[in-house]
Amino acid sequence: MLFLLQGAVHPTPPPVLPLPPQQQSVVPADWSGLAPMPYVKPPEVAKSLSNFVAAEIAAGRCPIVRPADGHYVVKVDIATLVGTDGTVRRTVPRAIQCPTVEQYSAGLILSFARANLRHGTAAGDQWYRATIVFDWQG
C-alpha cells in the first residue's frame, strides 16, 4: 500500500521528446530568397492602419525623419513560418529601429493570414516573406 501511494504522489515524469524538425526552424539569414506569402487573396493595407505608425513617429518613438514633401512611406518586412496546414507558426519582423511598429506589423501579418493562406504544397513548415507598406501624408 505504501508503495502504491508513493507511486501516486511521485509519478515518473514523461520522457522529454525532441521537437519535430519543422519546429526547430531557424529564421533564414538571407530573406531575399524567401517566397512571398502564399495568400489566397492578397490583403490590402487600409489607410487607417497607418495611423498607429504615424502616431509612433510623431511621438518620437521611431527615428524616421520627416520627408521634405511630408509623404511618409514605411516598409516592414516580416519573415513568416507557415505550417503545412496553413497556420502561421512564427513571425519575425526585420528591425527598422521602431519595435512597436515592428510588432504591430507582425500582428497584422497574423491577421491577414488567418484563413487566407494556400497550404499543403511544402513537405514541412516553410519560411515566407511578407511586406507591409504604411503610406500617409504627414
Side-chain angles (χ1 to χ4, degrees):
M1 175 85 166
L2 182 60
F3 177 73
L4 291 174
L5 181 58
Q6 287 179 338
V9 174
H10 300 287
T12 303
V16 176
L17 302 174
L19 290 173
Q22 66 269 23
Q23 291 182 6
Q24 296 174 352
S25 296
V26 177
V27 180
D30 180 13
W31 292 15
S32 64
L34 296 178
M37 283 288 283
Y39 292 117
V40 172
K41 180 181 179 207
E44 295 180 24
V45 179
K47 294 283 185 190
S48 62
L49 295 177
S50 296
N51 293 342
F52 173 78
V53 181
E56 289 298 291
I57 292 170
R61 289 187 279 273
C62 298
I64 296 172
V65 179
R66 178 180 169 82
D69 65 357
H71 182 208
Y72 287 87
V73 177
V74 176
K75 177 180 158 184
V76 183
D77 290 321
I78 299 100
T80 307
L81 183 62
V82 177
T84 56
D85 61 354
T87 302
V88 173
R89 305 244 188 264
R90 188 171 174 202
T91 58
V92 180
R94 187 180 303 272
I96 62 167
Q97 308 310 312
C98 188
T100 55
V101 171
E102 294 163 18
Q103 292 305 310
Y104 176 66
S105 300
L108 287 175
I109 290 300
L110 283 172
S111 296
F112 295 157
R114 201 164 285 126
N116 188 29
L117 295 179
R118 292 186 307 274
H119 54 83
T121 57
D125 293 356
Q126 184 173 341
W127 285 98
Y128 294 94
R129 185 186 70 257
T131 301
I132 296 181
V133 178
F134 301 100
D135 181 342
W136 73 98
Q137 190 67 35

